[in-house]
Amino acid sequence: MMSVQRKHLWSAVAASLLILGSQLAAAQDSNSKVEKARKDIDSDAAAILKDFRAMKGAESMFDKAAGYAVFKVTKAGLGASGAGGGGVAVDKKTGARTYMRMGSAGVGLTIGVSRYDIVILFETPERFASFVKGGWDSAATAQAAAGSKGAEISSSFFNGVAYYQIGKKGLMASADVSGTKFWVTEDLNKK
C-alpha cells in the first residue's frame, strides 16, 4: 500500500516539476520577446532622432527639451482613417525610458497607406511626466503641431510642447493629429 502512495507522490512531484519547467521556459521566452521589442523600438527611435536632429534648428530645440518621445506610425484609410504606432518616451535627465503606443481615428479624404514618424519635445519635466502618465490628448498635440510654421523646425515650444511629424520627404507641413491618443504599453514596461 505504501509503494502505491509513493508512486502517486512521485508522479505528482514529476508532473509539478514538468509544469514548473514549462512555465519557466514560457516566462523566459516572454522576457526575450519583450527585450527584443524594446531593442527594436530603441533602434528605430535612435535612427529617427538622428535624422530629426540633423534638420536645421532641431538640435537647438532638442537641447532645450527636458524629455522627448519618438514614434513610428502607420496610417491607412478609405474615407475614414486610422493610425497606430509605437515608440518610446525618454526623460533626458534620468535616461528613464517609457514604452508607449499611440492611435488615432479620423474622417476625411484619406485613401491608401502612409508611414511617418513623430518626434515630440517637452520643455519641462512636468510636461514630460504628464505625457508619460497618460494625461495627453489630441487637443494639446494639435496646438503644439499648429504652433510650428509650415515645414520648419519651430524655435519655441507651444504650452511646453513641440510636435513634429516627419515623412519620407522630411518634415511635414501640416500634422494630422485629430483623435490621437498616447498610452503606456504595460507589458514592455515591466521590470
Side-chain angles (χ1 to χ4, degrees):
M1 184 105 144
M2 195 68 147
S3 68
V4 171
Q5 287 177 336
R6 280 188 195 161
K7 278 185 177 178
H8 288 296
L9 177 63
W10 283 112
S11 294
V13 168
S16 296
L17 288 174
L18 282 173
I19 291 170
L20 180 60
S22 66
Q23 287 175 339
L24 287 174
Q28 287 175 339
D29 185 46
S30 176
N31 286 341
S32 67
K33 285 180 183 176
V34 166
E35 285 303 314
K36 182 181 179 340
R38 287 180 188 160
K39 270 184 155 175
D40 290 347
I41 292 168
D42 290 341
S43 176
D44 288 342
I48 293 165
L49 202 57
K50 179 182 177 192
D51 291 345
F52 170 75
R53 291 175 73 174
M55 294 178 184
K56 185 178 179 184
E59 191 68 31
S60 172
M61 283 298 289
F62 184 80
D63 289 346
K64 295 176 191 175
Y68 62 91
V70 180
F71 292 86
K72 283 184 75 158
V73 182
T74 302
K75 181 177 181 178
L78 183 59
S81 66
V88 63
V90 180
D91 181 319
K92 285 176 59 180
K93 184 176 181 180
T94 66
R97 305 176 88 70
T98 304
Y99 297 92
M100 302 181 75
R101 301 279 309 152
M102 61 80 53
S104 68
V107 178
L109 293 174
T110 303
I111 298 174
V113 177
S114 64
R115 203 194 81 57
Y116 56 90
D117 303 316
I118 297 173
V119 175
I120 308 171
L121 303 178
F122 303 93
E123 188 174 26
T124 65
E126 294 78 21
R127 288 302 277 160
F128 175 79
S130 174
F131 177 77
V132 171
K133 289 179 184 168
W136 196 256
D137 63 24
S138 60
T141 309
Q143 290 174 343
S148 53
K149 301 171 189 153
E152 348 178 313
I153 300 296
S154 172
S155 60
S156 61
F157 292 88
F158 185 82
N159 286 338
V161 178
Y163 178 94
Y164 306 98
Q165 229 173 271
I166 307 163
K168 286 182 181 178
K169 296 180 181 178
L171 199 61
M172 297 168 80
S174 61
D176 176 13
V177 294
S178 58
T180 304
K181 176 76 175 141
F182 298 89
W183 66 93
V184 173
T185 308
E186 297 298 331
D187 60 331
L188 293 182
N189 289 291
K190 292 180 183 174
K191 301 290 180 207

PDB file of all heavy atoms in Angstrom, residues 20-36:
ATOM      1  N   LEU A  20       6.203  23.318 -13.818  1.00  0.00           N
ATOM      2  CA  LEU A  20       7.033  24.441 -13.392  1.00  0.00           C
ATOM      3  C   LEU A  20       8.096  24.735 -14.445  1.00  0.00           C
ATOM      4  O   LEU A  20       8.329  25.894 -14.796  1.00  0.00           O
ATOM      5  CB  LEU A  20       7.688  24.137 -12.040  1.00  0.00           C
ATOM      6  CG  LEU A  20       8.597  25.232 -11.472  1.00  0.00           C
ATOM      7  CD1 LEU A  20       7.811  26.517 -11.255  1.00  0.00           C
ATOM      8  CD2 LEU A  20       9.229  24.773 -10.173  1.00  0.00           C
ATOM      9  N   GLY A  21       8.718  23.697 -14.970  1.00  0.00           N
ATOM     10  CA  GLY A  21       9.736  23.872 -16.009  1.00  0.00           C
ATOM     11  C   GLY A  21       9.175  24.527 -17.249  1.00  0.00           C
ATOM     12  O   GLY A  21       9.785  25.426 -17.832  1.00  0.00           O
ATOM     13  N   SER A  22       7.989  24.110 -17.676  1.00  0.00           N
ATOM     14  CA  SER A  22       7.391  24.707 -18.870  1.00  0.00           C
ATOM     15  C   SER A  22       6.976  26.150 -18.611  1.00  0.00           C
ATOM     16  O   SER A  22       7.080  27.000 -19.486  1.00  0.00           O
ATOM     17  CB  SER A  22       6.211  23.876 -19.374  1.00  0.00           C
ATOM     18  OG  SER A  22       5.153  23.887 -18.454  1.00  0.00           O
ATOM     19  N   GLN A  23       6.529  26.455 -17.386  1.00  0.00           N
ATOM     20  CA  GLN A  23       6.171  27.832 -17.046  1.00  0.00           C
ATOM     21  C   GLN A  23       7.411  28.720 -17.036  1.00  0.00           C
ATOM     22  O   GLN A  23       7.370  29.852 -17.508  1.00  0.00           O
ATOM     23  CB  GLN A  23       5.463  27.891 -15.691  1.00  0.00           C
ATOM     24  CG  GLN A  23       4.051  27.353 -15.733  1.00  0.00           C
ATOM     25  CD  GLN A  23       3.401  27.294 -14.356  1.00  0.00           C
ATOM     26  OE1 GLN A  23       4.078  27.286 -13.330  1.00  0.00           O
ATOM     27  NE2 GLN A  23       2.085  27.236 -14.352  1.00  0.00           N
ATOM     28  N   LEU A  24       8.519  28.211 -16.505  1.00  0.00           N
ATOM     29  CA  LEU A  24       9.766  28.981 -16.504  1.00  0.00           C
ATOM     30  C   LEU A  24      10.255  29.218 -17.928  1.00  0.00           C
ATOM     31  O   LEU A  24      10.698  30.312 -18.263  1.00  0.00           O
ATOM     32  CB  LEU A  24      10.847  28.264 -15.682  1.00  0.00           C
ATOM     33  CG  LEU A  24      10.664  28.286 -14.172  1.00  0.00           C
ATOM     34  CD1 LEU A  24      11.709  27.409 -13.487  1.00  0.00           C
ATOM     35  CD2 LEU A  24      10.735  29.706 -13.652  1.00  0.00           C
ATOM     36  N   ALA A  25      10.167  28.206 -18.769  1.00  0.00           N
ATOM     37  CA  ALA A  25      10.582  28.350 -20.170  1.00  0.00           C
ATOM     38  C   ALA A  25       9.701  29.375 -20.882  1.00  0.00           C
ATOM     39  O   ALA A  25      10.197  30.204 -21.643  1.00  0.00           O
ATOM     40  CB  ALA A  25      10.514  27.009 -20.889  1.00  0.00           C
ATOM     41  N   ALA A  26       8.399  29.335 -20.622  1.00  0.00           N
ATOM     42  CA  ALA A  26       7.481  30.297 -21.239  1.00  0.00           C
ATOM     43  C   ALA A  26       7.785  31.714 -20.756  1.00  0.00           C
ATOM     44  O   ALA A  26       7.763  32.664 -21.534  1.00  0.00           O
ATOM     45  CB  ALA A  26       6.032  29.935 -20.928  1.00  0.00           C
ATOM     46  N   ALA A  27       8.094  31.866 -19.467  1.00  0.00           N
ATOM     47  CA  ALA A  27       8.429  33.178 -18.912  1.00  0.00           C
ATOM     48  C   ALA A  27       9.721  33.709 -19.536  1.00  0.00           C
ATOM     49  O   ALA A  27       9.803  34.891 -19.875  1.00  0.00           O
ATOM     50  CB  ALA A  27       8.562  33.106 -17.395  1.00  0.00           C
ATOM     51  N   GLN A  28      10.722  32.832 -19.710  1.00  0.00           N
ATOM     52  CA  GLN A  28      11.974  33.254 -20.334  1.00  0.00           C
ATOM     53  C   GLN A  28      11.738  33.653 -21.777  1.00  0.00           C
ATOM     54  O   GLN A  28      12.287  34.634 -22.258  1.00  0.00           O
ATOM     55  CB  GLN A  28      13.018  32.146 -20.238  1.00  0.00           C
ATOM     56  CG  GLN A  28      13.573  31.982 -18.838  1.00  0.00           C
ATOM     57  CD  GLN A  28      14.513  30.785 -18.738  1.00  0.00           C
ATOM     58  OE1 GLN A  28      14.479  29.869 -19.557  1.00  0.00           O
ATOM     59  NE2 GLN A  28      15.344  30.802 -17.710  1.00  0.00           N
ATOM     60  N   ASP A  29      10.906  32.894 -22.494  1.00  0.00           N
ATOM     61  CA  ASP A  29      10.586  33.218 -23.883  1.00  0.00           C
ATOM     62  C   ASP A  29       9.867  34.562 -23.949  1.00  0.00           C
ATOM     63  O   ASP A  29      10.167  35.397 -24.796  1.00  0.00           O
ATOM     64  CB  ASP A  29       9.726  32.111 -24.496  1.00  0.00           C
ATOM     65  CG  ASP A  29       9.472  32.338 -25.975  1.00  0.00           C
ATOM     66  OD1 ASP A  29      10.440  32.656 -26.689  1.00  0.00           O
ATOM     67  OD2 ASP A  29       8.310  32.204 -26.409  1.00  0.00           O
ATOM     68  N   SER A  30       8.938  34.790 -23.026  1.00  0.00           N
ATOM     69  CA  SER A  30       8.212  36.053 -22.966  1.00  0.00           C
ATOM     70  C   SER A  30       9.169  37.206 -22.677  1.00  0.00           C
ATOM     71  O   SER A  30       9.090  38.266 -23.301  1.00  0.00           O
ATOM     72  CB  SER A  30       7.120  35.978 -21.894  1.00  0.00           C
ATOM     73  OG  SER A  30       6.480  37.220 -21.775  1.00  0.00           O
ATOM     74  N   ASN A  31      10.098  36.990 -21.728  1.00  0.00           N
ATOM     75  CA  ASN A  31      11.084  38.025 -21.401  1.00  0.00           C
ATOM     76  C   ASN A  31      11.967  38.349 -22.593  1.00  0.00           C
ATOM     77  O   ASN A  31      12.286  39.508 -22.839  1.00  0.00           O
ATOM     78  CB  ASN A  31      11.944  37.606 -20.207  1.00  0.00           C
ATOM     79  CG  ASN A  31      11.193  37.679 -18.900  1.00  0.00           C
ATOM     80  OD1 ASN A  31      10.164  38.345 -18.800  1.00  0.00           O
ATOM     81  ND2 ASN A  31      11.694  36.989 -17.891  1.00  0.00           N
ATOM     82  N   SER A  32      12.371  37.335 -23.356  1.00  0.00           N
ATOM     83  CA  SER A  32      13.224  37.587 -24.511  1.00  0.00           C
ATOM     84  C   SER A  32      12.442  38.321 -25.607  1.00  0.00           C
ATOM     85  O   SER A  32      13.010  39.156 -26.312  1.00  0.00           O
ATOM     86  CB  SER A  32      13.856  36.299 -25.048  1.00  0.00           C
ATOM     87  OG  SER A  32      12.889  35.444 -25.593  1.00  0.00           O
ATOM     88  N   LYS A  33      11.139  38.052 -25.748  1.00  0.00           N
ATOM     89  CA  LYS A  33      10.322  38.779 -26.720  1.00  0.00           C
ATOM     90  C   LYS A  33      10.186  40.243 -26.315  1.00  0.00           C
ATOM     91  O   LYS A  33      10.246  41.138 -27.163  1.00  0.00           O
ATOM     92  CB  LYS A  33       8.938  38.143 -26.843  1.00  0.00           C
ATOM     93  CG  LYS A  33       8.936  36.853 -27.629  1.00  0.00           C
ATOM     94  CD  LYS A  33       7.552  36.263 -27.733  1.00  0.00           C
ATOM     95  CE  LYS A  33       7.589  34.930 -28.473  1.00  0.00           C
ATOM     96  NZ  LYS A  33       6.281  34.289 -28.516  1.00  0.00           N
ATOM     97  N   VAL A  34      10.005  40.489 -25.018  1.00  0.00           N
ATOM     98  CA  VAL A  34       9.904  41.861 -24.513  1.00  0.00           C
ATOM     99  C   VAL A  34      11.221  42.594 -24.756  1.00  0.00           C
ATOM    100  O   VAL A  34      11.234  43.733 -25.230  1.00  0.00           O
ATOM    101  CB  VAL A  34       9.511  41.874 -23.015  1.00  0.00           C
ATOM    102  CG1 VAL A  34       9.735  43.224 -22.389  1.00  0.00           C
ATOM    103  CG2 VAL A  34       8.067  41.434 -22.845  1.00  0.00           C
ATOM    104  N   GLU A  35      12.341  41.954 -24.438  1.00  0.00           N
ATOM    105  CA  GLU A  35      13.652  42.576 -24.650  1.00  0.00           C
ATOM    106  C   GLU A  35      13.878  42.886 -26.123  1.00  0.00           C
ATOM    107  O   GLU A  35      14.390  43.946 -26.467  1.00  0.00           O
ATOM    108  CB  GLU A  35      14.772  41.672 -24.116  1.00  0.00           C
ATOM    109  CG  GLU A  35      14.883  41.677 -22.604  1.00  0.00           C
ATOM    110  CD  GLU A  35      15.093  43.071 -22.028  1.00  0.00           C
ATOM    111  OE1 GLU A  35      15.932  43.845 -22.548  1.00  0.00           O
ATOM    112  OE2 GLU A  35      14.394  43.414 -21.053  1.00  0.00           O
ATOM    113  N   LYS A  36      13.493  41.970 -27.007  1.00  0.00           N
ATOM    114  CA  LYS A  36      13.647  42.200 -28.450  1.00  0.00           C
ATOM    115  C   LYS A  36      12.777  43.370 -28.895  1.00  0.00           C
ATOM    116  O   LYS A  36      13.223  44.229 -29.663  1.00  0.00           O
ATOM    117  CB  LYS A  36      13.304  40.948 -29.253  1.00  0.00           C
ATOM    118  CG  LYS A  36      13.507  41.164 -30.758  1.00  0.00           C
ATOM    119  CD  LYS A  36      13.152  39.968 -31.573  1.00  0.00           C
ATOM    120  CE  LYS A  36      13.309  40.160 -33.061  1.00  0.00           C
ATOM    121  NZ  LYS A  36      13.348  41.467 -33.633  1.00  0.00           N
TER     122      LYS A  36
END
